[in-house]
Amino acid sequence: MNWVRDVGAWLARAWRSSGHERNTVLVIVKSALAATAAWWVAYDLIGATSPAFAPFSAVLIMNATVYQSLWQALRYTAAVTAGVAVQAVLGFLIGPELFVFPLVAVIALAIGQWPALGEQRAQVGTAAFFAFSTYTMASATGDQAVQLGQIVLLVLIGCGIGLIVNLCVAPPLRYRGAEQGIQVLSQEVEALLDDMADGLRDGDVSSERTEGWIAAGKRAQRSVDQARAGLTTAEDSLPFNPRRLLPAHRGYLTFDRYRQVLVSMERAVYQLSSLNRSLHRWQETENTYSYAPVLHTYADFLVSLRDVAHVLSSIDSDTLTEQAQEACRLSGTAQEKLQDVLGSAQEADLPLADSTRPYGVLIVEATRLMEEFQYTCDALLTTADA
């Protein structure tokens, strides 16, 4: 019964801490509540012929943020209204004949290509088809008009109830999502830097090792994309959210620092990927790496950057000032290690200008990496108390 344990563990995580599991439970509960209220209004109060439109609409627009729910409600309502309007115009002008259906389909599907409707574009055709069915089942012209108007009314009821529930029942503030994205990305970078340092110190830059570094760089790039999505969600959770007015949340409602960190970390990931591709390409011809002291100092430099990434991997708004100061102190150490690398390269008369060997790239990328990490630390320190 492994699935029982898995479900139990999943529910335990949802109960103990905020995160994906708890957010999923909240969306399910709020969707069920909104759907039930919408059904009650549509079926018991209005006595609608097709009451399912209301709960369906309430669930469809339920989103992780109030801002996105509002946008989905507007787009969905516009799509449904357009689909019903197509059927209403053609139905009252021509009638409910079979040959009218392909006209309805073509026009509705063409309107559904409008980019402004976003992911709700398909609902234009769906609404038009339901409207056609409703129109043909009505016996009188007055009933036909009432039934078509009722579809739009039910959609408005469902969207309105969904928005009210999402606004009033634990409206999500996802500012922690911005932190979590940076944390995961920094953990990927930390692990990559640590492994690269070990490899250079041991002189192990074999094809298998460098391929592993390239794969780790790709994972870090995926983490960049996930961090950017988390940052966007965090920013979208603010508009129209009443919880942002509470004193407990006012210190967490700016994300410029995380955007700056993400931009610089993305560039750092790019520099690491470029370096590892160069090492992988050149290891076929450079199989001795005879300048061992230089590689040892380079490994020490990567370790110092790893320490900075370690601080970023636990970034927290509640302790940001202390973390920013620690990151800047470690960045100063990394600057010293970079000078050791440059000095060691000069003493060893490293062939930096030889494009067939990796040393020039090693030095250039070291300087660029230091710039990105220093920028990250400066941005955190500048905005820590903002």
Side-chain angles (χ1 to χ4, degrees), residues 4 8 51 74 97 105 125 151 154 189 213 221 276 280 319 327 346 356 360:
V4 175
L74 292 174
E97 306 300 331
I151 293 176
L154 292 173
V189 173
W213 295 343
Q221 184 57 57
N276 288 326
H280 179 69
T319 58
Q346 186 175 11
T356 64

Side-chain angles (χ1 to χ4, degrees), residues 113-126:
Q113 301 305 308
W114 189 24
L117 295 175
E119 54 267 49
Q120 302 299 339
R121 291 181 292 179
Q123 301 300 333
V124 179
T126 302

Side-chain angles (χ1 to χ4, degrees), residues 58-69:
V59 172
L60 186 67
I61 63 96
M62 189 65 66
N63 200 276
T65 67
V66 177
Y67 176 76
Q68 286 296 331
S69 289

